[in-house]
Amino acid sequence: MSFTLRQWHTDTGEPEPEPAVRQTPIAHRAPLGPWTFEIRSDIPLSPVDCERIIASIVSPDGAGQDRGDVPADAAVRAGAELTEALGTGRRLDDYLEDDVSPFIRTDFGDDEAWRVVAALAMAPGVGEDAAFVATLTCIDNPENDGLSIDALLGKIGDRPTYFAFLADTVTLTDPEHPILAVDTGPEETGHERGRTVRILPSEMWGIENNLSIANMDFADFADFADAADPDGVFRGFA
């Protein structure tokens, strides 16, 4: 899969795309503040998904810089922000004692697909849900390549991580990018340790927000997905 996100300062005009980029169709283009963002993808992306990706980007404002220096500086800053957001190099063990919602990459065959999924998962909701966002701690480290559910539960042990999200091979290759959610809480408190459900990236804000404040149980989402969709993917209560 080929996926490219371009940005430029609108007043300076669009820079000439690299030859390899020109071969990828434009999926979406939109202004955001003083910037223009463009998404190119060789797989179909809905306008809503494209808008969610763009909305998740922290756009530099270019204040106090010469106009000619903005694009290069923006690229450096955007790259640093992306590395931080994707959790590049983070070790899972360093975050299992914290009150976070881990989003662990377990397949390393497609970097661009991982970036797309992470951006969609962390983007705000749409419409009346635009105020909500999944607060995820991304873990992008090859030491988790092929991490199984049993191995994940072994790593967590009795530490207070009651749920985790995985970007596995299905997540990165399926057109809907369903993320694997895992119940990792202790059985003595009613958890079904090791139970899973797949969640569309656009619904991540709902499950993460509700699980993190214990407003709903993991089983609420898993039971609904099993009842509503034969493939067991949670696509929203509606």
Side-chain angles (χ1 to χ4, degrees):
M1 183 188 78
S2 179
F3 176 90
T4 303
L5 173 64
R6 303 174 67 223
Q7 71 178 91
W8 58 87
H9 201 280
T10 304
D11 286 349
T12 64
E14 178 185 355
E16 185 69 20
E18 296 293 328
V21 173
R22 292 191 208 119
Q23 306 305 313
T24 306
I26 297 175
H28 192 75
R29 181 182 285 188
L32 182 63
W35 299 87
T36 296
F37 289 87
E38 178 188 86
I39 294 174
R40 292 179 179 239
S41 174
D42 58 9
I43 64 170
L45 290 173
S46 72
V48 171
D49 282 345
C50 290
E51 289 169 5
R52 284 168 57 83
I53 292 172
I54 293 174
S56 70
I57 300 166
V58 179
S59 178
D61 59 15
Q65 300 175 49
D66 291 334
R67 208 183 268 181
D69 295 335
V70 169
D73 183 70
V76 172
R77 292 172 62 182
E81 289 166 359
L82 182 61
T83 297
E84 176 67 18
L86 295 180
T88 307
R90 286 177 181 161
R91 301 193 69 250
L92 177 59
D93 287 344
D94 294 336
Y95 292 89
L96 293 178
E97 301 288 353
D98 300 330
D99 185 18
V100 300
S101 301
F103 183 31
I104 309 158
R105 181 184 182 184
T106 67
D107 183 285
F108 290 80
D110 192 333
D111 289 341
E112 294 298 337
W114 159 246
R115 292 185 178 93
V116 170
V117 171
L120 289 173
M122 295 187 289
V126 297
E128 62 183 16
D129 300 320
F132 299 100
V133 63
T135 305
L136 302 173
T137 297
C138 293
I139 308 290
D140 180 8
N141 193 314
E143 68 182 15
N144 298 314
D145 190 14
L147 181 71
S148 67
I149 293 174
D150 286 342
L152 171 65
L153 296 177
K155 279 178 172 285
I156 291 174
D158 59 1
R159 287 183 279 193
T161 299
Y162 287 1
F163 57 89
F165 304 105
L166 307 183
D168 62 0
T169 301
V170 173
T171 305
L172 300 190
T173 59
D174 187 280
E176 287 191 297
H177 299 304
I179 293 166
L180 187 66
V182 185
D183 188 341
T184 61
E187 293 180 353
E188 57 267 25
T189 59
H191 286 267
E192 299 178 66
R193 190 171 171 83
R195 186 177 184 183
T196 63
V197 63
R198 289 198 178 270
I199 312 289
L200 291 190
S202 60
E203 299 298 328
M204 281 292 289
W205 65 268
I207 186 172
E208 192 280 331
N209 286 194
N210 282 290
L211 292 182
S212 63
I213 62 174
N215 185 53
M216 297 179 70
D217 295 327
F218 190 97
D220 293 327
F221 293 93
D223 288 345
F224 185 86
D226 288 342
D229 292 290
D231 58 5
V233 176
F234 180 76
R235 295 180 171 86
F237 286 114

